[in-house]
Amino acid sequence: MKMTEDLKKAVENMRPGVITADGFLGNDERLLVDIIESDEEKIRSLNINLQDDIKKIRYLFEKGKEAFEEPVTVDNKWLIKVDEARGHLPCPFEDGIFRKVNLRIKNLDNNEELLITELSLHLIEKHHFFQGKGSAFRVEPEKLKKVLEE
């Protein structure tokens, strides 16, 4: 993959202080294309079905929203909680604006936990961008697999 003008613009939007105080890249100094390619390779090596996981996360978001910001157990498998703050965040790829909604998921079988936002889910689904290493909202593929495993 090549660093196109669109990707270069996205990188500028991901820098600290542009969209969020801390940005999306953390302390990761790799090129955006290298971050994406590395995570795509990790998804393949872990045999993760990303579309199935995205559907599962959307399902958990809906269940959490029904609970009005209270913790709720879903399918006897996950303890989840959705928190919503005022405001919206634009996607650094400039293809959407997202409410500030966080989903905390705890797998009750293995106690693995994950925090994911509506924007993070969009970044993973549409751009295969899990955020840079060291980013507060980075979703590690290994963690995703452990938390969502049945």
Side-chain angles (χ1 to χ4, degrees), residues 7-146:
L7 289 177
K8 289 176 187 174
K9 176 66 173 155
V11 168
E12 289 307 311
N13 290 336
M14 291 176 188
R15 298 212 185 284
V18 178
I19 293 175
T20 67
D22 296 330
F24 296 83
L25 298 170
N27 55 16
D28 204 324
E29 296 182 4
R30 297 174 293 167
L31 292 174
L32 178 59
V33 293
D34 294 335
I35 294 170
I36 292 170
E37 286 176 353
S38 174
D39 285 333
E40 287 176 335
E41 177 55 38
K42 182 60 75 173
I43 291 296
R44 283 190 293 276
S45 72
L46 292 170
N47 200 29
I48 292 173
N49 183 323
L50 205 49
Q51 293 308 312
D52 286 350
D53 283 356
I54 288 166
K55 285 180 192 172
K56 198 176 291 181
I57 292 168
R58 287 195 191 288
Y59 167 72
L60 293 173
F61 260 116
E62 289 307 312
K63 291 295 185 183
K65 287 175 184 177
E66 291 170 6
F68 302 107
E69 298 194 2
E70 291 296 321
V72 62
T73 300
V74 177
D75 299 344
N76 295 316
K77 179 70 179 172
W78 299 283
L79 178 64
I80 64 167
K81 185 173 188 282
V82 169
D83 297 306
E84 189 168 351
R86 281 200 214 168
H88 296 78
L89 292 172
C91 175
F93 291 90
E94 299 182 347
D95 64 346
I97 297 175
F98 300 85
R99 292 173 34 218
K100 294 180 180 180
V101 179
N102 299 332
L103 170 64
R104 297 174 193 286
I105 310 168
K106 180 178 182 180
N107 183 311
L108 296 173
D109 290 337
N110 61 23
N111 289 319
E112 293 285 343
E113 296 185 38
L114 177 71
L115 171 65
I116 190 163
T117 68
E118 286 188 351
L119 176 55
S120 295
L121 185 59
H122 166 80
L123 291 170
I124 292 168
E125 181 177 26
K126 299 297 183 192
H127 306 287
H128 292 187
F129 179 59
F130 290 72
Q131 300 192 39
K133 300 276 185 188
S135 171
F137 289 94
R138 174 163 171 81
V139 175
E140 290 291 347
E142 297 89 348
K143 177 72 76 174
L144 181 71
K145 182 175 178 93
K146 288 177 182 176

